[in-house]
Amino acid sequence: MNLHEGHRQRLKDRFLKSGLADFEDHNVLELLLFFSVPRSDTNEIGHRLLKKFGSLSNVFEAPIDELCKVEGIGIHSATLIKLIPELCNIYHVDKTENITVVNSTNIAGRYFVPRFMGKTVEEVHIMLLDDKKKVIKCEMISKGTVNASAVSVRKIAAEALNNNATGVVLAHNHPGGIALPSGNDIIVTKRIYKALKLMDIQLCDHIVVADGDFVSMLDSGMFESFDM
């Protein structure tokens, strides 16, 4: 075994013994790239990635074409890097699949926060509930740019009616921002609230998610003015 191979094995053994807790960011990338770069010095590639993108999270969120511009990164390595946040998202969503009743803000937040993990564009999700607050279905209904996403009141109403839902919870994310509803968020939510009320469907909440945190528009008192 040469020195290069010995170093790789030592880093793998270190991970298997203690996990990534004591790894520096470039070592995390170095270890990951072992599986797509069989011979080159992945430590140096890890440093290059961090220098270009500034942080580990930025590396994982970088566009695949930008990753491929880094020396030592080909399409296989770029695909592996992009796979990590997607796997994390699926893993955390899977851990919330046992949530079948959403009858509190805390539960709604726990349900939605993982679904926006690693998302770099704004998405709107809709959760449909029956009269016992059991989840009928939850899905993305809109995907926008980095800072905007069109929300169709007609589409939300149709989804609720077609699934015999009596309650709706909306959620959307603020990529790179904070979990505070914007003025436009409040205007759109009020319009949806009023449209659903005409059909005897309750808009139970609108959850805004950012950076692993969430804010409930209901708990924030914003719904109080919607009937005025």
Side-chain angles (χ1 to χ4, degrees):
M1 180 180 289
N2 61 38
L3 292 176
H4 185 63
E5 290 172 338
H7 170 71
R8 288 191 171 210
Q9 188 58 53
R10 286 192 295 274
L11 200 63
K12 290 177 183 177
D13 290 342
R14 178 181 162 194
F15 165 71
L16 292 173
K17 181 179 180 181
S18 305
L20 294 174
D22 295 326
F23 276 53
E24 294 186 51
D25 289 350
H26 69 273
N27 293 135
V28 173
L29 293 169
E30 177 186 11
L31 176 62
L32 177 65
L33 293 172
F34 285 172
F35 301 97
S36 61
V37 182
R39 294 180 180 84
S40 300
D41 183 356
T42 58
N43 185 288
E44 287 299 318
I45 300 173
H47 279 290
R48 288 187 205 117
L49 286 165
L50 290 169
K51 183 177 180 180
K52 179 175 177 63
F53 298 109
S55 70
L56 191 59
S57 60
N58 285 346
V59 170
F60 289 124
E61 293 175 1
I64 198 161
D65 58 331
E66 290 298 316
L67 288 169
C68 288
K69 292 178 182 178
V70 176
E71 182 184 350
I73 296 294
I75 188 62
H76 295 301
S77 293
T79 301
L80 179 63
I81 290 170
K82 297 302 294 180
L83 183 64
I84 299 305
E86 294 292 337
L87 282 174
C88 289
N89 178 270
I90 291 172
Y91 168 76
H92 285 287
V93 168
D94 185 69
K95 288 178 72 68
T96 66
E97 286 303 312
N98 63 333
I99 296 177
T100 58
V101 176
V102 177
N103 55 12
S104 73
T105 297
N106 183 56
I107 294 174
R110 281 175 49 213
Y111 191 97
F112 278 114
V113 166
R115 283 160 173 75
F116 296 108
M117 184 177 295
K119 301 297 183 179
T120 57
V121 297
E122 189 167 317
E123 296 179 359
V124 178
H125 292 216
I126 181 175
M127 175 192 288
L128 304 178
L129 306 173
D130 67 13
D131 56 0
K132 295 182 179 179
K133 305 299 183 186
K134 289 184 179 179
V135 179
I136 299 171
K137 66 185 293 188
C138 183
E139 63 182 16
M140 181 181 72
I141 61 167
S142 179
K143 186 173 184 177
T145 61
V146 171
N147 57 10
S149 184
V151 182
S152 169
V153 177
R154 181 178 296 179
K155 186 173 183 179
I156 292 171
E159 284 290 326
L161 290 171
N162 291 340
N163 289 275
N164 296 315
T166 59
V168 171
V169 179
L170 286 176
H172 80 281
N173 59 326
H174 286 171
I178 56 176
L180 289 176
S182 67
N184 188 61
D185 291 339
I186 297 170
I187 292 170
V188 171
T189 303
K190 183 176 182 178
R191 188 167 75 242
I192 295 169
Y193 175 92
K194 287 182 172 292
L196 292 178
K197 187 175 181 180
L198 291 174
M199 295 174 282
D200 293 323
I201 299 171
Q202 179 186 11
L203 180 60
C204 302
D205 206 341
H206 188 162
I207 303 293
V208 182
V209 178
D211 196 24
D213 192 16
F214 74 93
V215 166
S216 158
M217 292 179 66
L218 176 69
D219 283 2
S220 298
M222 297 175 187
F223 278 31
E224 295 174 4
S225 64
F226 289 176
D227 287 319
M228 295 180 182

